[in-house]
């Protein structure tokens, strides 16, 4: 399949030339180069930057909230699934726009895609999706859920952007990351026919499970970027630990808590006992955590992370089908599977193996230019070779 990397737009550095730049030089190139791709290619690259495969848990969470509130298959259900998808795309586009410094180290291929369509164009596409979500809320539920949608949009924006930039907090960043699932869940639960906000204890138990489970997912997600984030001086749930392996051990403990948390709610009588069958995925999750802890490079860790997305999708799909067996749940799982495997088949992702190995090009001999932080402070390692102490931006 022909990729965008094979046909760079006129005036744009090719992938090999871009790979030869230092991280700071890549960031500078993106900021000064306007996008020059045509709109069809821009739309395709924007979809890649939106990382559709990572939006699947949000879609399944929406279906879980919808069915928990008694919703069935209807036009509103399909509209809500679409809204959830583009909500995830928007959040990922914002993240690609704001995270040039760390992505220039961790995922240079992603930064090159931003360069191709243009840095400013990337954020404006995100803003366009934001406006579309506000408009679609009216036919989805009327004005009753407009305040909720505005809160969800504000949370997605402030996850990546200042002044809050929630993702920079090692703890608060994890809870903000879980917005990717509990936001769509609330949208589904409150927008179902029995809504808005006619939610019982079981629905809130599912909400709690999603938050705890996705906090664990956030800890795992930060592991592949450990080296690049540490070099950039960022404080994440991974870089607060002395090594990737230590961070992986902490993520393993949290993963175990997240995958077993439904058992607590079953014991409290808030979830049906059949939900416990989903816990068989815990063994596979621990195997994945073991593989992540043994990964010695970001390339290996990213390969583990890709498999982990399949595992996470299977686990959440199992919870959905077991909690509310029915056509709405089956339809939600089918649409999620089509999105996941379809995006893989079409290579519509920006965290691919080629992206994290681009800097290994033999031609990458250009001297490193010490990068600067948000306030102009150098984030390059000190002369003794030790990485800089993680900081907040």
């Amino acid at each position: 399949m022909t990729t965008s990397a094979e046909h760079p737009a006129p005036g744009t550095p090719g992938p090999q030339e871009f790979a030869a730049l230092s991280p700071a030089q890549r960031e500078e190139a993106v900021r000064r180069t306007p996008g020059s791709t045509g709109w069809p290619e821009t739309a395709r690259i924007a979809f890649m930057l939106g990382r559709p495969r990572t939006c699947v848990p949000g879609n399944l969470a929406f279906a879980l909230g919808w069915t928990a509130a008694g919703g069935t298959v209807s036009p509103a259900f399909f509209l809500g699934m679409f809204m959830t998808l583009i909500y995830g795309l928007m959040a990922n586009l914002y993240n690609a726009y704001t995270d040039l410094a760390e992505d220039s180290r961790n995922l240079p291929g992603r930064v090159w895609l931003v360069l191709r369509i243009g840095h400013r164009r990337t954020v404006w596409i995100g803003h366009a999706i934001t406006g579309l979500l506000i408009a679609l809320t009216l036919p989805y539920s009327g004005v009753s859920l407009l305040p909720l949608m505005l809160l969800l949009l504000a949370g997605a924006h402030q996850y990546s952007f200042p002044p809050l930039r929630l993702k920079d907090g090692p703890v608060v960043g994890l809870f903000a990351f879980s917005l990717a699932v509990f936001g769509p869940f609330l949208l589904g639960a409150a927008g179902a026919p029995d809504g808005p906000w006619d939610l019982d204890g079981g629905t809130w138990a599912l909400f709690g499970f999603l938050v705890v489970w996705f906090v664990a997912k956030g800890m795992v997600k930060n592991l592949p970027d450990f080296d690049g984030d540490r070099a950039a001086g960022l404080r994440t749930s991974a870089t607060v630990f002395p090594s990737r392996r230590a961070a992986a051990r902490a993520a393993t403990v949290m993963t175990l808590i997240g995958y077993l948390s439904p058992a607590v709610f079953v014991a409290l009588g808030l979830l049906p006992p059949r939900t416990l069958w989903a816990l068989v995925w815990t063994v596979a999750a621990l195997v994945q955590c073991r593989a992540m802890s043994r990964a010695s490079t970001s390339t290996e860790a990213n390969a583990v992370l890709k498999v982990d997305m399949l595992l996470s999708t299977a686990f959440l799909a199992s919870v959905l089908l077991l909690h509310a067996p029915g056509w709405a749940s089956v339809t939600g799982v089918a649409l999620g599977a089509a999105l996941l495997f379809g995006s893989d088949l079409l290579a519509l992702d920006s965290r691919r193996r080629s992206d994290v190995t681009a800097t290994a090009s033999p031609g990458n001999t250009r001297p490193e230019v010490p990068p600067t932080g948000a306030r102009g402070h150098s984030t390059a390692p000190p002369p003794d070779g030790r990485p800089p102490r993680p900081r907040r931006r």
Side-chain angles (χ1 to χ4, degrees):
M1 178 179 179
T2 300
T3 66
S4 59
E6 296 168 355
H7 298 288
T12 301
Q16 295 300 321
E17 180 183 357
F18 188 75
L21 300 177
S22 71
Q25 290 167 335
R26 293 174 191 145
E27 182 180 355
E28 180 185 359
V30 172
R31 294 189 184 278
R32 73 166 186 263
T33 306
S36 55
T37 55
W39 279 109
E41 181 69 358
T42 295
R44 193 182 75 85
I45 294 177
F47 202 61
M48 292 178 66
L49 292 172
R51 289 174 281 158
R53 74 189 318 270
T54 68
C55 301
V56 176
N59 276 115
L60 295 177
F62 170 85
L64 185 60
W66 180 270
T67 55
T72 58
V73 177
S74 67
F77 171 76
F78 288 108
L79 178 58
M81 290 286 284
F82 175 72
M83 292 169 64
T84 301
L85 168 61
I86 64 174
Y87 176 78
L89 296 177
M90 172 210 66
N92 286 333
L93 280 166
Y94 281 158
N95 197 58
Y97 173 81
T98 61
D99 288 12
L100 292 181
E102 48 266 53
D103 285 349
S104 291
R105 294 168 173 80
N106 298 321
L107 298 164
R110 179 181 297 172
V111 179
W112 186 71
L113 291 175
V114 176
L115 178 144
R116 291 211 58 221
I117 67 172
H119 193 226
R120 292 189 63 183
R121 192 185 293 180
T122 299
V123 74
W124 279 109
I125 294 174
H127 292 340
I129 297 176
T130 297
L132 179 60
L133 281 166
I134 294 174
L136 291 177
T137 302
L138 300 178
Y140 172 69
S141 63
V143 298
S144 59
L145 290 189
L146 191 56
L148 172 63
M149 176 55 72
L150 293 176
L151 286 174
L152 297 182
L153 292 172
H157 184 277
Q158 286 299 292
Y159 177 73
S160 297
F161 284 91
L164 297 182
R165 189 162 163 83
L166 298 171
K167 68 176 299 180
D168 277 354
V171 176
V172 71
L174 293 174
F175 285 97
F177 178 71
S178 67
L179 177 65
V181 289
F182 78 72
F185 175 83
L186 291 177
L187 188 67
D194 291 340
W197 308 120
D198 184 17
L199 311 182
D200 58 17
T203 305
W204 288 114
L206 290 171
F207 174 86
F209 148 70
L210 286 172
V211 172
V212 173
W213 176 65
F214 224 65
V215 162
K217 295 301 303 172
M219 294 183 69
V220 173
K221 183 268 298 182
N222 286 334
L223 293 174
D225 297 338
F226 178 89
D227 295 327
D229 286 348
R230 196 171 182 85
L234 303 180
R235 284 178 58 85
T236 71
S237 63
T239 59
V240 294
F241 290 91
S243 66
R244 190 204 305 270
R245 182 159 295 184
R249 286 195 291 266
T252 299
V253 173
M254 194 63 199
T255 296
L256 185 63
I257 294 172
Y259 272 80
L260 294 179
S261 60
V264 176
F265 298 117
V266 170
L268 294 174
L270 297 174
L271 296 180
R274 62 177 178 269
T275 310
L276 294 175
W277 284 106
L279 272 58
V280 299
W281 292 105
T282 305
V283 177
L286 292 179
V287 171
Q288 280 296 106
C289 287
R290 182 180 177 86
M292 184 67 82
S293 66
R294 291 182 170 182
S296 58
T297 66
S298 61
T299 302
E300 294 176 3
N302 270 290
V304 175
L305 188 64
K306 185 172 184 177
V307 176
D308 187 72
M309 176 57 70
L310 295 173
L311 172 63
S312 301
T313 300
F315 172 65
L316 189 53
S318 298
V319 173
L320 170 60
L321 293 170
L322 290 167
H323 179 265
W327 283 113
S329 296
V330 172
T331 302
V333 171
L335 292 175
L339 178 61
L340 179 63
F341 293 111
S343 62
D344 283 348
L345 180 64
L346 298 174
L348 295 175
D349 189 25
S350 60
R351 187 185 279 267
R352 299 168 298 179
R353 182 179 295 272
S354 59
D355 297 334
V356 296
T357 58
T359 54
S361 169
N364 189 8
T365 58
R366 193 180 296 250
E368 176 74 18
V369 175
T372 56
R375 299 181 181 179
H377 300 299
S378 173
T379 59
D384 59 7
R386 293 177 298 180
R389 185 174 182 176
R391 59 172 177 77
R392 291 183 183 274
R393 285 205 300 180

